[in-house]
């Protein structure tokens, strides 16, 4: 009985592709495609029409897919155009690659592996790549990994990307796919043939990061923490035991370690009054704000305002900054780039270059987490 219950739960939470090692990724999410050209770059693809006909596409051949009155119109060379409610381009050799050109734009040099399902959705086409999980993970590492050069760094990023994928596997389930290819989920611009990245993904195959209760962690990361990571609650209001403040000695000489922004005196005063400051605007307190470490709020006398909101309002690179006056300008001296929570990519790159392993790097930025095979993680919430 207990065993049966266990299996029923497993079936409910797992979409079929979860168990088959595949993931459904929506491609060109932000382009609202109404027209796409599918080109085979390697292997062989098949399209099955509703009339029972099979169209074969070999390397170098292409098919056009258009949204047409709520349905799809498909036209491949050497075969008649046909209409359908949805279509799948199925790879047949096990080593099949394709490219997509969307809305007549210049083709991007992005190759995708696996199958492509096309479904009309209002006036656009959902382009859903059914892709092997580890190829997807390597593609995300390529897109999100920044300028890393070291395999231990890429292994770290692969575990982060894989953990995110499993944790949010059903994020778009209602939309008929698992994850989109934007930073809303994880950036994915197709597969990569960078052997360092594919090797890092392969060598950490199946590994994910879990918290003390064995559930998958929120594997947050950012470009540079400026020497100190941010507690999760400063950014997302809720805290996590593994997303605490960490003093980071590794990223302080990296590219995104510091920044400055100059604002005129009057603009700064105007901004403060817009956000509700009603004190004396000639008071030097409002121009002299220099916390020693990351703080949740900007303060001037009794006025407080969240740093994360100030970052958004003023389009700043981070929410970790001091304010001072120079001449007739207000200068914001900032540290780091990004929200600052979790792993600092530029710090992780330096750690990897100094010989630290991926597990040491993950342990440094996410306190108290373990790295386990996804089979041993508590995927069910
Ligand atoms: Zn998404
Ligand atoms: Zn850092």
């Amino acid at each position: 009985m207990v065993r049966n219950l266990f299996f029923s739960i497993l079936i409910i939470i797992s979409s079929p592709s979860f168990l088959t090692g595949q993931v459904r990724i929506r491609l060109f999410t932000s382009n609202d495609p109404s027209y796409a050209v599918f080109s085979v770059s390697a292997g062989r693809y098949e399209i099955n029409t509703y009339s029972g006909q099979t169209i074969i596409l070999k390397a170098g051949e292409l098919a056009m897919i258009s949204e047409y009155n709520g349905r799809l119109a498909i036209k491949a060379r050497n075969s008649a155009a046909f209409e359908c409610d949805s279509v799948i381009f199925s790879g047949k050799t096990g080593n099949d690659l394709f490219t997509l050109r969307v809305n007549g734009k210049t083709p991007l040099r992005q190759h995708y592996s696996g199958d492509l399902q096309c479904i009309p959705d209002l006036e656009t086409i959902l382009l859903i790549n059914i892709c092997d999980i580890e190829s997807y993970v390597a593609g995300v590492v390529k897109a999100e990994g920044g300028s890393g050069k070291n395999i231990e760094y890429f292994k770290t990023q692969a575990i982060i990307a894989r953990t995110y994928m499993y944790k949010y596997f059903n994020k778009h389930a209602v939309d008929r796919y698992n994850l989109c290819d934007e930073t809303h989920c994880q950036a994915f611009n197709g597969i990569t043939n960078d052997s360092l990245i594919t090797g890092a993904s392969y060598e950490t195959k199946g590994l994910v990061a879990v918290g003390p209760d064995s559930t998958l962690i929120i594997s947050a990361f950012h470009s540079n923490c400026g020497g100190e990571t941010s507690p999760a609650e400063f950014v997302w209001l809720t805290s996590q035991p593994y997303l605490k403040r960490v003093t980071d000695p590794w990223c302080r000489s990296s590219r995104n370690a510091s920044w400055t922004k100059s604002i005129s005196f009057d603009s700064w005063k105007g901004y403060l009054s817009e956000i509700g400051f009603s004190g004396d605007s000639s008071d030097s307190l409002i121009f002299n704000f220099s916390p020693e470490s990351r703080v949740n709020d900007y303060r001037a006398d009794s006025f407080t305002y969240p740093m994360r909101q100030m970052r958004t309002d003023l389009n700043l690179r981070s929410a970790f900054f001091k304010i001072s006056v120079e001449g007739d300008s207000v200068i914001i001296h900032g540290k780091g780039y990004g929200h600052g929570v979790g792993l600092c990519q530029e710090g992780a790159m330096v750690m990897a270059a100094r010989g630290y392993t991926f597990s040491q790097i993950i342990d440094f930025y996410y306190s108290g987490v373990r790295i386990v095979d996804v089979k041993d993680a508590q995927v069910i919430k």
Side-chain angles (χ1 to χ4, degrees):
M1 177 61 194
V2 172
R3 197 177 165 82
N4 284 344
L5 183 65
F6 173 74
F7 280 114
S8 350
I9 292 170
L10 200 67
I11 287 161
I12 291 164
I13 61 102
S14 308
S15 78
S17 51
F18 188 97
L19 297 172
T20 57
Q22 291 182 314
V23 59
R24 294 166 61 82
I25 307 295
R26 181 179 181 187
L27 305 181
F28 294 93
T29 306
S30 61
N31 292 63
D32 294 329
S34 59
Y35 171 79
V37 179
F38 173 96
S39 306
V40 180
S41 31
R44 188 177 77 249
Y45 278 84
E46 257 182 42
I47 319 169
N48 292 304
T49 71
Y50 284 84
S51 61
Q53 189 199 353
T54 300
I55 299 170
I56 306 284
L57 294 173
K58 292 183 292 204
E61 296 184 332
L62 49 85
M64 282 161 280
I65 310 145
S66 325
E67 189 277 334
Y68 183 70
N69 291 337
R71 303 187 79 212
L72 295 179
I74 312 293
K75 173 75 181 88
R77 202 170 68 86
N78 294 337
S79 65
F82 67 97
E83 272 184 53
C84 56
D85 292 321
S86 72
V87 70
I88 293 189
F89 294 79
S90 311
K92 288 293 161 188
T93 69
N95 190 19
D96 310 290
L97 299 176
F98 66 89
T99 61
L100 282 170
R101 181 179 171 197
V102 165
N103 294 343
K105 288 188 181 146
T106 316
L108 299 170
R109 297 171 71 85
Q110 296 177 180
H111 295 267
Y112 297 91
S113 61
D115 298 347
L116 180 76
Q117 183 177 23
C118 309
I119 308 171
D121 182 46
L122 300 174
E123 300 198 339
T124 67
I125 309 169
L126 290 181
L127 299 167
I128 300 169
N129 182 199
I130 303 157
C131 172
D132 165 67
I133 278 175
E134 294 303 330
S135 304
Y136 166 71
V137 166
V140 172
V141 173
K142 174 74 179 170
E144 302 263 22
S147 58
K149 300 269 186 298
N150 188 290
I151 191 154
E152 292 300 316
Y153 170 71
F154 286 134
K155 285 182 190 172
T156 307
Q157 283 285 153
I159 290 168
I160 287 174
R162 194 179 295 107
T163 301
Y164 185 96
M165 183 205 66
Y166 281 117
K167 188 171 183 70
Y168 298 104
F169 205 75
N170 292 321
K171 193 164 179 176
H172 286 285
V174 70
D175 305 318
R176 292 166 287 186
Y177 51 95
N178 299 116
L179 300 161
C180 71
D181 65 349
E182 297 283 321
T183 52
H184 171 260
C185 287
Q186 305 195 93
F188 175 65
N189 304 321
I191 58 157
T192 176
N193 57 8
D194 181 323
S195 58
L196 207 55
I197 294 178
T198 53
S201 176
Y202 180 76
E203 285 177 40
T204 59
K205 187 175 179 182
L207 296 183
V208 292
V210 296
D213 59 357
S214 293
T215 58
L216 296 167
I217 67 161
I218 299 168
S219 51
F221 67 91
H222 55 276
S223 175
N224 186 306
C225 72
E228 184 186 319
T229 70
S230 173
E233 60 269 27
F234 283 8
V235 180
W236 298 309
L237 307 180
T238 51
S239 65
Q240 294 295 341
Y242 48 83
L243 298 176
K244 298 288 185 205
R245 187 195 305 270
V246 172
T247 302
D248 184 355
W250 306 110
C251 62
R252 291 175 185 171
S253 308
S254 299
R255 193 160 60 95
N256 290 313
S258 61
W259 52 270
T260 54
K261 180 165 180 159
S262 169
I263 300 179
S264 77
F265 207 72
D266 287 343
S267 303
W268 178 246
K269 284 200 289 188
Y271 168 67
L272 283 183
S273 95
E274 257 175 52
I275 61 173
F277 177 75
S278 55
D280 180 359
S281 64
S282 63
D283 190 330
S284 67
L285 270 176
I286 68 167
F287 314 114
N288 290 301
F289 174 71
S290 43
E292 285 308 307
S293 57
R294 282 188 185 264
V295 289
N296 199 19
D297 292 314
Y298 165 82
R299 284 174 189 278
D301 284 337
S302 59
F303 176 76
T304 63
Y305 191 76
M307 295 290 274
R308 67 175 175 281
Q309 192 56 47
M310 202 169 263
R311 179 189 176 207
T312 306
D313 296 347
L314 300 173
N315 196 22
L316 306 176
R317 289 167 73 96
S318 71
F320 186 14
F321 53 83
K322 299 179 177 186
I323 295 165
S324 61
V325 176
E326 286 172 29
D328 56 359
S329 294
V330 172
I331 309 293
I332 306 177
H333 300 272
K335 290 182 176 179
Y337 190 11
H339 55 56
V341 182
L343 180 131
C344 165
Q345 288 183 308
E346 290 188 345
M349 288 174 203
V350 173
M351 287 185 82
R354 300 271 177 95
Y356 287 89
T357 64
F358 69 86
S359 57
Q360 289 172 316
I361 297 170
I362 287 178
D363 187 55
F364 180 74
Y365 289 105
Y366 303 106
S367 39
V369 309
R370 289 178 298 126
I371 296 164
V372 299
D373 192 284
V374 68
K375 290 197 295 294
D376 300 320
Q378 189 74 24
V379 177
I380 307 167
K381 278 187 185 167

